[in-house]
Amino acid sequence: MRVFADYTGPVADRCDVVVVGSGPCGAVAAYELAAAGRDVVLLEEGPPFTPADFELDGARSMARTMREGGLRFTSGYVMPTMQAIALGGGSLVNSAICGRCPDFRLAEWAEAAALERTARSDLDPHYDAIAAFLGIAPTPDEVQGRRNLLFRDGCQALGWDNEPCARNVVGCRGSGECFTGCRARAKQSMDISYVPAAIRAGARVYTSVQVQRVLAAGRRAGGVEGRVAAPFTGAPGPSFRIEAKAVVLAAGVLATPLLLRRSGDLANRSKQVGENLQFHPGTSVMGVFPEPVEPVFGATQGYQSLHFLREGFKLETLWAPPGVLAVRLPGSGLELEQKLLDMRRAAVWDCIASCKRSRGRVRERGRSLQPAVHWRFHPDDARTLGRAVWALAQIFFAAGAERILPGVAGLPDELGSLEAARVLERQPPRAADLVVASTHAFGTTRMHGDPARGVVDEDLKAHDLDNLYVVDTGVFPGSPAVNPMFTGMALARRSALALAARI
Amino acid sequence: MSSIPLPLRQLSAREARFFAAAADAAFPHGTTRDGPPLPSGTEAGVVAHLDGWLELLPRRNRTLIRLLIVFFEYATWVLPAPGRGGRRRFTALAPEQRVAVFEAWSGSRLRLRRLVFASLRMLLTSSYFASPAVLRATGLAPLAFATPVVEADLLYPPVGQARDAIRWRREDLSRPPLHAPLDPHGPLHPDYTEEGASTGERARAGESAGAGARG
Ligand SMILES: Cc1cc2nc3c(=O)[nH]c(=O)nc-3n(C[C@H](O)[C@H](O)[C@H](O)COP(=O)(O)OP(=O)(O)OC[C@H]3O[C@@H](n4cnc5c(N)ncnc54)[C@H](O)[C@@H]3O)c2cc1C
Ligand code: SF4
């Protein structure tokens, strides 16, 4: 295990498999390969964070754990999108929701991407193994807190499906701090779960190293090279080169395509590298209740409703640092301050849409490895998200909210009754009216049975090379309908086992 | 007394004046319907927090934020505030004119204009909520609890430090307690109590507001 302070000069190493990126997908792949007896090197650009490094202040935390200080935006439809830079990748700061991709969606993937072995029954053994490893289980009522249980009550009153979120968490205290790092050490983020297990199994982990190029000749990848990168500033340090019999890229949806393009447009005979970018855009609604909710207590995202999954959206509870949540509150001056005081009686719930028609692409920004992300929000998809906002409004009033703050431009700041909220049904918000953000992204190195139409095959091996694999969520041929991490890990596990059997 | 905290590391005096004016437009002095007044934006240390936060950002983002300041400071030349002298720069406007400028931006029919304003609001709001006093007054301050020592804590030193900074040994290992929900009315995280050091002060000093107090 190496950290920034360990690098005093150029680094050279040799192994069976080099894995780039220690997010959920890369960490699972590294562990499975090491556990299968392969000599593994895991490379991560970000540093490991200890609880002493966590910042409870949302702005400072994002500046340190997220790419571009947490200020990354898409162009086209301007939308913030967040990717982590840390040992453990997104798992350090995410809400730990682990959802299995539903059968109907995997059937759609199979049809659209000519897949033959990616049905739910194919993935379930991998989901099961990961669930057992990470202790994935439904969030217990005792740590839900009132803001999550009100969501349940509202759904029940409406007769809509609802369930506690299954999460990779053991011993949650309900601090609602998943976004800034779990100081209860309950969230089984990769840095405290799969990465230590990979190390125990013999993997060598280098943190604070930025891979800049995949070495390849003909149909074979030979390793990777790059530079040490100082934590937070990214200041370049000594160079490194890792030679390997196989290369596994798990740098994330926005980074892996840039690495491939920079390495001589590798694995891109299909011209699909960096294309087909899809997001789950999300928006939130705040509801104010007559009694205190004390939202400071409760699992970050403890409850969900899959009732409208086939219609293209999912509903969830949400918490984040108050400064991040309050950004969406309307008004200024004393009126705004009153709304801040109301937050003690408030819950915030969000919706994410599958967005089958919205597409984008990622390209390099100048000569850097920073992405220029372009994405267009299709009006049909925006309408779906608008319907989800109306659904949230109904849950709030069914749960007894006295008013909601829909956060939709052109509507009153507050809607005081279900009747008043019907405006959301009559006049569904348009893309331009919504305040949207996204942390779920897919598609830029998509898996496809046809080498002319996709980058990797069903084992996530690049069609164009014999020993290059891509295992991050960029391989999804489309939206997984639910939160993506668990499916990414399941696919990565399957891929790692296939690779381990080959070398 | 000046509302600009000194010394500043990133913000120029002019930029700091802009943020002070903007912070007090968003969060003025006064009494809200529900009791005790909240601190104003400058009292909450918004300017100092922004100064410390800017230091953490990549250079490109810092530049974009500087452009945002210039843009807002002079936008009144094109989109004047109501009342006399509405075309003066933002910091030269009367306090109620500044609030009116904010309302015009946030209520604009143009999404792009709303987004630009949302960026400024994001900076102000997240810095306002860095204040322990604000978090206490709104009932949203983090709670106190012990952080167990897990296997990973024997592997990694705090960011930027050498391996010999790892404080924990195998005998320190503990497990997160099961079935131990926090009490929403329980004690606050020590950094957020009235006696605790304020995050704003530490941000000014450039230190990490480490949340890892182990019990
Ligand atoms: C705030 C937030 C909340 C979320 N909540 C949930 C949730 O509850 N459930 C869920 O399913 N999903 C959630 N997500 C999404 C989820 O975290 C991601 O889908 C998941 O992390 C993707 O995993 P990955 O391994 O593909 O990529 P990442 O997690 O992005 O990991 C990629 C890693 O590669 C590293 N890397 C990139 N480039 C290089 C390079 N050149 N050299 C070396 N290393 C490099 C990165 O630093 C990063 O650590 C959330 C995301 C965020 C940001
Ligand atoms: S809610 Fe709090 S205790 Fe539970 S997993 Fe998230 S950060 Fe950890």
Side-chain angles (χ1 to χ4, degrees), chain B residues 7-177:
Chain B
L8 293 165
R9 298 201 201 194
Q10 285 293 328
L11 293 170
S12 67
R14 185 179 278 245
E15 290 165 340
R17 274 199 301 277
F18 170 81
F19 275 137
D24 283 343
F27 306 107
H29 254 299
T31 309
T32 44
R33 196 177 62 230
D34 285 0
L38 291 173
S40 72
T42 45
E43 284 167 351
V46 165
V47 179
H49 181 271
L50 282 167
D51 190 54
W53 173 73
L54 275 176
E55 195 150 44
L56 302 176
L57 290 185
R59 190 197 306 255
R60 178 173 181 271
N61 298 86
R62 275 206 297 263
T63 308
L64 289 174
I65 284 164
R66 297 216 142 90
L67 288 174
L68 184 74
I69 297 174
V70 174
F71 181 79
F72 254 98
E73 178 73 332
Y74 295 105
T76 37
W77 288 1
V78 183
L79 300 161
R84 273 185 61 157
R87 282 189 196 278
R88 284 175 301 169
R89 343 181 237 105
F90 183 83
T91 42
L93 295 174
E96 55 289 355
Q97 284 178 306
R98 294 175 189 159
V99 173
V101 167
F102 276 9
E103 271 159 16
W105 278 82
S106 70
S108 168
R109 287 172 52 201
L110 293 179
R111 177 168 192 260
L112 202 61
R113 202 170 154 201
R114 290 196 310 273
L115 280 176
V116 172
F117 179 68
S119 312
L120 177 63
R121 260 286 299 271
M122 189 268 286
L123 306 185
L124 300 173
T125 311
S126 49
S127 293
Y128 187 63
F129 266 107
S131 155
V134 170
L135 285 164
R136 276 196 308 274
T138 51
L140 301 173
L143 298 166
F145 57 89
T147 296
V149 179
V150 300
E151 182 192 5
D153 295 314
L154 312 186
L155 295 171
Y156 324 130
V159 177
Q161 298 191 33
R163 200 170 299 281
D164 56 15
I166 299 173
R167 287 163 57 197
W168 312 106
R169 303 283 164 262
R170 203 143 273 286
E171 52 275 21
D172 299 315
L173 289 180
S174 51
R175 275 173 199 276

Side-chain angles (χ1 to χ4, degrees), chain A residues 95-96 167 169 171-179 181-187 298-300, chain B residues 145:
Chain A
S95 303
R167 298 179 308 145
V169 168
C172 177
R173 314 279 317 262
S175 74
E177 290 169 4
C178 292
F179 189 82
C182 177
R183 65 187 160 109
R185 298 309 238 175
K187 179 166 67 168
T300 306
Chain B
F145 57 89

Side-chain angles (χ1 to χ4, degrees), chain A residues 99-125 127 309-310 356 447 458 475-482 486-488 490-491 494:
Chain A
R100 297 186 189 213
C101 187
D103 248 334
F104 77 87
R105 184 49 52 88
L106 288 169
E108 287 170 17
W109 283 14
E111 168 94 23
L115 304 177
E116 291 168 353
R117 298 185 283 118
T118 308
R120 184 59 182 268
S121 52
D122 298 307
L123 295 190
D124 269 339
Y127 282 130
L309 219 49
R310 280 178 189 270
K356 287 190 186 165
M447 154 170 70
E458 263 180 290
V475 302
F476 293 8
S479 152
V482 296
F486 201 13
T487 300
L491 289 170
R494 179 169 79 171

Side-chain angles (χ1 to χ4, degrees), chain A residues 97-100 280 301 304 314 316 352 440 480-487:
Chain A
I97 299 176
C98 291
R100 297 186 189 213
H280 280 165
Q301 295 200 271
Q304 63 186 12
K314 174 179 185 253
E316 315 168 320
I352 54 173
H440 302 171
V482 296
N483 315 59
M485 169 173 69
F486 201 13
T487 300

